[in-house]
Amino acid sequence: MTTGTADIGLIGLGTMGAALSANIAEKGFRIAVWNRSPEVTRDFVANAGPLAGRIVPTETLAGLVAAIKPPRAVILLVPAGPIVDQQIALLRPLMAADDLIIDAGNADFHDTDRRTVEAAAQGPHFMGIGVSGGEEGARHGPSIMAGGTDGDWARVAPVLTAVAARYDGTPCAVHMGPGGAGHFVKAVHNGIEYADMQMIAEIYGVLRDGMGQGAAQIAPLFRHWNEGALHSYLIEITAEVAATIDPETGLPLLDVIRDTAGQKGTGRWTAIEAQHLGVAVPAIEAAVAARNLSAALADRQAGEALYGPAPQLLGAGAPTPDVLEQALIAGKILCYAQGFDMLARARQQFSWPLPLPDIARVWRAGCIIRSAMLNDMATALAEDPARNLMLAPHFADHLMRAVPCLRQVVALAALNGLPVPALSAGLAWFDQMRTARSTANMIQGQRDFFGAHGFERVDGTTGQHGPWVRD
Ligand code: NDP
């Protein structure tokens, strides 16, 4: 094989690949690039300005491989699924056994585990890394959640830490463990993102439908909240989204956007995997369900025609902005607490290192769920990684104040028919988590009654059956 000059290669100059390639070149690395449609590669280099000198355009996969210094590393940024397998199959015969393929797309971690096993048998090496932050993050500093062997991580860490976002100078790039660990953490990140976005949308719904507020009134409220405990990327962009005017109609842009939301599957994967792991993440599940229900537009329209719209929460019945802010603070803490609970369970189940405080740290900058709270979460998890975040004193203080407001908002919404599924699910989870004696004794009684499943007595005696009264 010819010896190339590039430090790394990249396949797929779409939204993410083009932005990440420019970021890598900007940090001083030489990068060889290849795209299925060659005109995209030509345009990319033509528009790269001063970075073009560090970008090696190639028009064949063999040319790409030849352009990289051995041992070679090639990043894939193509759509997740079978296309990744096709690219690996095309690259495999062109690469040496100690070369490395890095899937930086949003892969299902089960696929990453499978590809890792296949790579061990057939070569070259393989890593799956989760990259968050969208196009802007990829261009100027994403949050990177890496999976793979220690040795492969050590090989690419210089490039990946150089391009990652920084929080107080610390790069937001962490090695999470072998195989699919990086993509698993990225999926949980996206699950939290779904829940956080849904809770924000629900508060927007209370303001819009319950209190008759327009986007122009809602935008400054979110802008104000972004200066407090809620300070986060998602609250910041919510204010901007609400403030934007549609140039065609002069109306708030929000008011002309159809209310059906898409998903690429990562939130759904998180909800499904939580069920496999036997861990409760109801706020994330509610957010996934809400996206599914958003697509049922005709049914929702028929439902409103039949049952009528929710009435407005008038006068003293309406929550104050402070109550709404506190409700959102509580909801946000609870959805992160559920996400970290899921990570803690996966850590045990899969025997992955999953460094929980570092995961909170890696999400402090660059990614979509970056928020001021994550710094305190990192501290709480460093104190005791096994303790649920809602039990950490710092967050317990917040929740003591904020949960009564969440309760007020959920109760008002329920009484008036305003949908707040993720906030309700967060609250129901909190209430279950603070109930020392649950009602599962009744479930166990029922199970033993109809199926002789047995139960454990409170004194610890197991394998018990009831002398059930059968009329
Ligand atoms: P785009 O649709 O913008 O780009 C897709 C790229 O893949 C293009 O370069 C395209 O080439 C190439 N491609 C598509 N089909 C094939 C194929 N059959 N064979 C070879 N190349 C192909 O996608 P994104 O950049 O948005 O996403 C890439 C990955 O990153 C996905 O896994 C996505 O989920 C993930 N991701 C995306 C984020 C985002 O905000 N967009 C955020 C984080 C992760 P061509 O030009 O020829 O069509």
Side-chain angles (χ1 to χ4, degrees):
M1 274 187 217
T2 336
T3 301
T5 58
D7 299 297
I8 197 160
L10 185 140
I11 290 176
L13 290 170
T15 307
M16 292 296 282
L20 191 67
S21 299
N23 186 355
I24 291 172
E26 193 175 67
K27 299 300 177 302
F29 299 100
R30 236 173 124 64
I31 179 163
V33 295
W34 179 85
N35 194 72
R36 176 181 60 170
S37 317
E39 63 279 10
V40 174
T41 310
R42 289 177 212 135
D43 287 351
F44 175 66
V45 179
N47 296 321
L51 299 178
R54 285 198 286 274
I55 297 169
V56 186
T58 64
E59 298 213 352
T60 62
L61 280 177
L64 173 85
V65 172
I68 308 166
K69 280 186 256 181
R72 301 165 186 82
V74 173
I75 297 174
L76 299 182
L77 266 164
V78 295
I83 294 173
V84 172
D85 290 309
Q86 285 160 20
Q87 284 303 314
I88 295 171
L90 292 168
L91 281 170
R92 187 170 284 135
L94 304 172
M95 295 180 83
D98 63 345
D99 287 345
L100 171 64
I101 298 174
I102 305 161
D103 177 16
N106 269 338
D108 179 333
F109 83 96
H110 295 290
D111 285 340
T112 305
D113 274 341
R114 169 181 57 78
R115 289 171 187 140
T116 303
V117 171
E118 289 166 3
Q122 304 169 52
H125 294 213
F126 180 78
M127 286 177 80
I129 66 169
V131 176
S132 176
E135 182 179 18
E136 182 71 10
R139 178 63 187 86
H140 299 292
S143 168
I144 294 177
M145 295 143 259
T149 64
D150 292 345
D152 287 337
W153 167 242
R155 263 167 72 173
V156 291
V159 177
L160 297 180
T161 51
V163 299
R166 287 186 141 57
Y167 183 91
D168 278 351
T170 307
C172 294
V174 167
H175 182 218
M176 302 297 174
H183 277 138
F184 180 86
V185 175
K186 174 71 200 302
V188 175
H189 164 285
N190 285 24
I192 295 172
E193 176 186 310
Y194 271 52
D196 202 349
M197 290 170 71
Q198 175 63 26
M199 286 180 178
I200 292 171
E202 289 171 12
I203 294 291
Y204 157 71
V206 171
L207 288 162
R208 185 192 67 182
D209 302 330
M211 296 162 71
Q213 294 199 8
Q217 290 163 285
I218 292 171
L221 203 50
F222 277 96
R223 212 168 274 142
H224 172 62
W225 290 345
N226 195 39
E227 286 159 19
L230 284 174
H231 181 68
S232 60
Y233 174 71
L234 283 171
I235 295 286
E236 178 192 326
I237 67 164
T238 300
E240 298 311 316
V241 168
T244 303
I245 299 296
D246 174 32
E248 262 182 52
T249 58
L251 294 168
L253 188 54
L254 257 183
D255 294 349
V256 297
I257 298 179
R258 191 180 289 289
D259 56 325
T260 54
Q263 59 170 313
K264 286 188 181 166
T266 45
R268 183 171 57 228
W269 295 342
T270 311
I272 292 170
E273 203 52 41
Q275 294 291 342
H276 286 308
L277 285 167
V279 63
V281 292
I284 295 172
E285 289 167 358
V288 175
R291 289 213 193 173
N292 294 338
L293 271 178
S294 80
L297 181 58
D299 283 346
R300 289 187 289 107
Q301 286 169 339
E304 181 168 317
L306 182 60
Y307 295 102
Q312 294 226 340
L313 313 168
L314 294 174
T320 63
D322 285 350
V323 166
L324 291 171
E325 181 188 18
Q326 290 297 320
L328 204 44
I329 290 171
K332 201 175 179 79
I333 295 171
L334 297 173
C335 75
Y336 278 80
Q338 291 174 23
F340 276 104
D341 211 17
M342 180 164 175
L343 291 166
R345 184 67 61 90
R347 193 166 179 255
Q348 286 173 349
Q349 180 88 8
F350 303 132
S351 303
W352 285 336
L354 295 189
L356 300 187
D358 285 342
I359 294 174
R361 287 187 195 108
V362 89
W363 290 344
R364 288 179 305 183
C367 69
I368 303 294
I369 63 168
R370 61 186 182 261
S371 100
M373 279 182 198
L374 278 162
N375 204 32
D376 293 326
M377 289 183 185
T379 307
L381 290 162
E383 284 164 11
D384 183 355
R387 178 184 57 197
N388 190 287
L389 276 176
M390 69 167 260
L391 302 176
H394 176 84
F395 291 102
D397 276 355
H398 267 299
L399 289 171
M400 299 272 185
R401 268 194 314 277
V403 165
C405 298
L406 176 61
R407 212 175 279 296
Q408 191 182 332
V409 170
V410 168
L412 274 170
L415 281 171
N416 289 279
L418 288 164
V420 288
L423 290 168
S424 309
L427 180 62
W429 180 85
F430 174 82
D431 281 337
Q432 286 182 81
M433 287 286 286
R434 64 185 279 268
T435 300
R437 179 153 171 78
S438 80
T439 51
N441 52 327
M442 173 57 86
I443 304 291
Q444 288 298 77
Q446 292 163 337
R447 291 178 73 233
D448 190 56
F449 187 105
F450 65 68
H453 293 291
F455 56 82
E456 180 180 348
R457 297 182 72 91
V458 289
D459 63 9
T461 325
T462 55
Q464 299 293 295
H465 295 282
W468 304 114
V469 179
R470 293 174 198 264
D471 286 335

